[in-house]
Amino acid sequence: MIFRRARKTTIRTLACAFGLTAMTVGYSAAEEGDPTKGEKVFKSCTACHKVGDGAKNGVGPVLNGIVGRPAGTFEGYKYGKGIKAANEQGLVWTEELLFEWLGNPRNFIRGYLDDKKAKVKMTFKLKNEQKRLDVIAYLKTISPEQ
């Protein structure tokens, strides 16, 4: 428990204070996802999220151009308090941070904010690491302009 808290605080500290990419257990930049497989996995996300030309916010925000975008900034979507607070602390969605987020959004935001009561709207967890890599690879193919 102490190690977990220290690791989460370290991730937030590194990401915020130094603008560094968070190093996370389970993610390696050398690992690549398959965007074709990711598109198939993403179908389970379409109940809440849309991508592509003409995509509109739904239960969740549009994910066009999510990699490299500051958290909580897609126009017209009403974000929850947790993501708004993370945005104020400078959270920008990198591949590594999305990998952590997709595994457990609530635990990610609580660790990032160092607030064990922080909440997020997204309750879905994509536990399979390869599927997370695949979804991220797919999302990287969707430009902000689409």
Side-chain angles (χ1 to χ4, degrees):
M1 184 71 149
I2 293 171
F3 175 75
R4 175 180 261 177
R5 173 179 266 157
R7 184 178 70 84
K8 289 178 181 178
T9 300
T10 301
I11 289 170
R12 185 178 63 84
T13 301
L14 288 174
C16 293
F18 302 110
L20 299 175
T21 303
M23 298 305 293
T24 59
V25 175
Y27 184 89
S28 167
E31 294 180 79
E32 290 292 323
D34 180 334
T36 302
K37 289 180 181 177
E39 183 175 13
K40 291 175 185 171
V41 174
F42 186 77
K43 289 183 186 215
S44 65
C45 307
T46 59
C48 299
H49 296 283
K50 307 297 183 230
V51 295
D53 291 330
K56 295 185 179 174
N57 291 320
V59 173
V62 170
L63 297 180
N64 294 354
I66 188 69
V67 177
R69 184 169 84 203
T73 60
F74 195 84
E75 191 171 325
Y77 184 75
K78 185 177 179 183
Y79 289 91
K81 291 179 183 178
I83 291 296
K84 287 179 183 179
N87 172 275
E88 290 171 10
Q89 289 190 20
L91 176 61
V92 174
W93 291 120
T94 64
E95 293 174 52
E96 296 87 356
L97 294 175
L98 282 169
F99 182 86
E100 281 287 314
W101 168 264
L102 291 171
N104 191 323
R106 184 185 68 188
N107 285 352
F108 171 85
I109 208 70
R110 287 180 175 180
Y112 187 84
L113 297 173
D114 196 23
D115 177 357
K116 64 182 180 180
K117 294 183 181 180
K119 296 182 181 180
V120 293
K121 291 182 179 183
M122 185 167 151
T123 58
F124 180 79
K125 299 174 189 173
L126 187 56
K127 293 185 179 187
N128 182 288
E129 291 183 1
Q130 186 59 52
K131 287 182 179 181
R132 284 189 259 165
L133 291 170
D134 293 341
V135 166
I136 292 165
Y138 170 65
L139 290 173
K140 285 172 40 180
T141 69
I142 311 296
S143 73
E145 292 79 36
Q146 286 184 309

